[in-house]
Amino acid sequence: RAAVEAAALDASATTFVPCDFEHESWLEKLVQAGFDKSQRAVFVWEGVTYYLEPAAVDATVALIKQCAPGSTVVFDFFTQELVEGRLIPLVASVLRRYGEPLKFGLGSEADERSAQTWANVHGLKLRECLKGGKKGARWGGVLSADVQ
């Protein structure tokens, strides 16, 4: 909220819904705040997945799948190689030291095959997988997938 206010953005039509993804049902919190899960929605899940345990990512996706068909989830991700510290050991080490260890990674490269496999396992229809920059395929990317 402070960032929105500092940027002088109009947030009059915005409802802020705080949630601890590892301990609370974010969908239940949204519904309590007026969200209608029978309507298509876009879930922008930016800067979150890699800090969650894989089980928390799976649980979040399971909740997204309770929303209307055609709803879309978009999230950024790191590869498993980066999360485990095999790609750039310093990144994982520094984040662990500061209490923000990387926990979730998707595939060994940010490629269509890894993204398709992930979407299939989770019962979603892959829209797109974008690699993170020129050399980003090894560290991560952005994935979008639809509820069927």
Side-chain angles (χ1 to χ4, degrees):
R1 291 181 204 199
V4 171
E5 289 174 11
L9 298 174
D10 177 11
S12 59
T14 303
T15 302
F16 293 94
V17 183
C19 180
D20 178 341
F21 283 95
E22 298 216 27
H23 299 104
E24 299 175 303
S25 168
W26 60 267
L27 184 56
E28 188 176 303
K29 300 269 258 173
L30 286 178
V31 169
Q32 290 170 357
F35 177 73
D36 181 357
K37 65 182 183 177
S38 70
Q39 299 293 313
R40 287 187 308 167
V42 175
F43 299 93
V44 179
W45 202 15
E46 189 175 41
V48 178
T49 61
Y50 25 87
Y51 296 111
L52 300 178
E53 294 291 345
V57 172
D58 293 346
T60 299
V61 172
L63 292 176
I64 290 171
K65 286 175 47 181
Q66 291 179 23
C67 296
S71 293
T72 301
V73 59
V74 180
F75 65 91
D76 55 343
F77 64 91
F78 290 146
T79 62
Q80 193 62 36
E81 189 178 24
L82 182 73
V83 168
E84 292 173 357
R86 292 181 283 127
L87 182 60
I88 308 171
L90 182 62
V91 171
S93 174
V94 168
L95 288 171
R96 265 193 310 277
R97 190 173 307 131
Y98 285 98
E100 293 291 344
L102 300 175
K103 299 176 182 178
F104 171 79
L106 195 157
S108 59
E109 283 201 26
D111 63 2
E112 194 82 15
R113 187 173 47 106
S114 295
Q116 186 65 62
T117 299
W118 184 88
N120 289 346
V121 165
H122 290 85
L124 298 171
K125 180 181 177 192
L126 180 67
R127 261 184 187 250
E128 190 168 23
C129 179
L130 302 172
K131 298 174 184 179
K134 288 182 180 178
K135 298 181 182 178
R138 294 209 45 222
W139 66 262
V142 177
L143 180 148
S144 61
D146 293 336
V147 173
Q148 299 184 53

